Amino acid sequence: MYHFTALITLLAILMYFFTCINVARSRGRTGVKVPAMSGHPDFERAFRIQMNTLEWMPIFLPSLWLFAIYISDAIAAAIGAVWIVGRIVYFVGYSKAAAKRSPGFAIQGIASIALWAGALGAVVLRLV
Amino acid sequence: MYHFTALITLLAILMYFFTCINVARSRGRTGVKVPAMSGHPDFERAFRIQMNTLEWMPIFLPSLWLFAIYISDAIAAAIGAVWIVGRIVYFVGYSKAAAKRSPGFAIQGIASIALWAGALGAVVLRLV
Amino acid sequence: MYHFTALITLLAILMYFFTCINVARSRGRTGVKVPAMSGHPDFERAFRIQMNTLEWMPIFLPSLWLFAIYISDAIAAAIGAVWIVGRIVYFVGYSKAAAKRSPGFAIQGIASIALWAGALGAVVLRLV
């Protein structure tokens, strides 16, 4: 069983869920009505925070689980926790200004690549 | 094995697939050409239906499976069936008017949160 | 264990990752600044390549894994490899012109449907 990875998965979903709620709240603050997805820079940044987190989900989640299965539940969860922290830093930074999105993005990117590369290495080792 | 959850997963994908086809058909009806993603309110609503369904996939699918693994295949699948029904109500309502998207959205949201919260409780119980 | 399917999953993520990087590079070439998601046809096509690949991830990945689990790791991975090839053809074609996106799209669509239908058939057989 992969209890730690399961926990990190659910916490990552919670973090992502907040980026979705933030878009809905941003509609109220900026007056951008559904189904429009543009019209105010604050709204557009809130939407991009959600979208970018969504865009990385298919990179992060399968890599996280393959890393957990092929290498270690605890190590996968630890790197996954770094991903969540990076996403929170990204959320806070990008909410202030587009230029402040980079540090959090880098943290979550490095964590994702570590999970992906570790899983790839372990899978290839089993196949050769 | 998790046969019921596997079946619900495939049916959820089918439902989502229809939201994708609906966007392509809406391009034909409204004259919004690729790669544009706006230009006619009917098209924009069709696109938002697909996008919102996509946006909830990383919330729904991992929560569904962790609930199935940690609690019960049959209960996970039953709640997952409610999610699909909510998504169909959302699809039909939002296709008519933006104001009619709320009931279906609420149904699928409650189903998702039930899966997520149940899985989280079960995972935490194993870890403590 | 599903080593071949795990490998194809990681390669599909790599291909998707390139569509993400391509959007960032396209911003540099076309001058479309974040958080804007439109403003130049070349950028909009690059964004749609990424988005469409993302949109099909929840169709492809769960179908791939359910096919692997219920039928065969090797066959799932072989069809998954066809999906990746279709996605590369789609990427190259759509990057040139919107009209050239169809062949690659068809290849990946047929591969996805084969995985989905195979998995559905196998799941239903177990349930009846």
Side-chain angles (χ1 to χ4, degrees), chain A residues 41 44-45 48 51 54-56 58-59 62-63 66 69-70 94 98 101 113 115-116 119-120 123-124 126-127, chain C residues 1-7 9-11 13-14 16-17 20 27 34-37 47 50-51 54 57 61 65:
Chain A
E44 289 171 27
R45 289 205 315 284
R48 281 306 306 159
M51 280 304 298
L54 173 64
E55 285 162 13
W56 279 73
I59 298 173
S63 299
L66 290 174
I69 292 165
Y70 277 92
Y94 205 168
R101 75 191 190 284
I113 290 168
L115 290 169
W116 182 86
L120 182 70
V123 170
V124 168
R126 299 286 184 94
L127 281 170
Chain C
M1 296 295 283
Y2 306 98
H3 299 321
F4 291 114
T5 301
L7 181 65
T9 299
L10 292 166
L11 294 179
I13 290 172
L14 181 66
Y16 169 62
F17 186 66
C20 301
R27 285 195 186 277
V34 289
M37 300 315 292
F47 181 51
Q50 179 203 354
M51 279 306 296
L54 173 64
M57 279 286 182
L61 283 180
W65 279 90

Side-chain angles (χ1 to χ4, degrees), chain A residues 69-124:
Chain A
I69 292 165
Y70 277 92
I71 300 179
S72 154
D73 177 37
I75 300 173
I79 302 175
V82 172
W83 187 86
I84 294 174
V85 169
R87 279 289 159 191
I88 294 170
V89 173
Y90 176 82
F91 182 109
V92 173
Y94 205 168
S95 293
K96 290 180 188 156
K100 293 184 177 172
R101 75 191 190 284
S102 302
F105 186 81
I107 294 168
Q108 68 84 35
I110 291 166
S112 295
I113 290 168
L115 290 169
W116 182 86
L120 182 70
V123 170
V124 168

Side-chain angles (χ1 to χ4, degrees), chain B residues 1-4 6-7 9-11 13-14 16-17 20 27 34-37 47 50-51 54 57 61 65, chain C residues 41 44-45 48 51 54-56 58-59 62-63 66 69-70 94 98 101 113 116 119-120 123-124 126-127:
Chain B
M1 296 296 283
Y2 306 97
H3 300 320
F4 292 115
L7 181 64
T9 299
L10 292 165
L11 294 179
I13 290 173
L14 181 66
Y16 168 63
F17 187 66
C20 299
R27 284 194 186 278
V34 290
M37 300 315 293
F47 180 52
Q50 178 203 353
M51 279 305 297
L54 173 65
M57 279 284 180
L61 283 179
W65 278 92
Chain C
E44 289 171 28
R45 289 206 315 284
R48 281 305 307 159
M51 279 306 296
L54 173 64
E55 285 162 14
W56 279 73
I59 299 174
S63 300
L66 290 174
I69 292 164
Y70 278 91
Y94 206 169
R101 76 190 190 286
I113 291 168
W116 182 87
L120 183 70
V123 170
V124 169
R126 299 287 184 92
L127 282 169

Side-chain angles (χ1 to χ4, degrees), chain B residues 15-116:
Chain B
M15 190 280 313
Y16 168 63
F17 187 66
F18 276 116
T19 71
C20 299
I21 290 174
N22 188 53
V23 172
R25 292 179 59 200
S26 180
R27 284 194 186 278
R29 280 196 301 267
T30 60
V32 177
K33 296 266 185 304
V34 290
M37 300 315 293
S38 59
H40 191 295
D42 285 358
F43 174 77
E44 288 171 27
R45 288 206 314 285
F47 180 52
R48 281 306 306 159
I49 292 168
Q50 178 203 353
M51 279 305 297
N52 190 274
T53 308
L54 173 65
E55 285 162 14
W56 279 73
M57 279 284 180
I59 299 174
F60 171 65
L61 283 179
S63 300
L64 174 76
W65 278 92
L66 290 174
F67 191 106
I69 292 165
Y70 277 93
I71 300 177
S72 154
D73 177 37
I75 300 173
I79 302 175
V82 171
W83 187 85
I84 294 174
V85 170
R87 278 290 158 190
I88 293 170
V89 172
Y90 176 81
F91 182 109
V92 173
Y94 205 168
S95 293
K96 289 179 187 156
K100 293 185 178 172
R101 74 191 190 286
S102 302
F105 186 81
I107 295 167
Q108 68 83 36
I110 292 165
S112 294
I113 290 167
L115 290 168
W116 181 86

Side-chain angles (χ1 to χ4, degrees), chain C residues 67-111:
Chain C
F67 191 106
I69 292 164
Y70 278 91
I71 300 179
S72 154
D73 176 37
I75 300 174
I79 301 175
V82 172
W83 187 85
I84 294 174
V85 170
R87 278 289 158 191
I88 294 169
V89 172
Y90 176 81
F91 182 110
V92 173
Y94 206 169
S95 292
K96 289 179 188 157
K100 293 186 178 172
R101 76 190 190 286
S102 302
F105 186 80
I107 294 168
Q108 69 82 37
I110 291 166

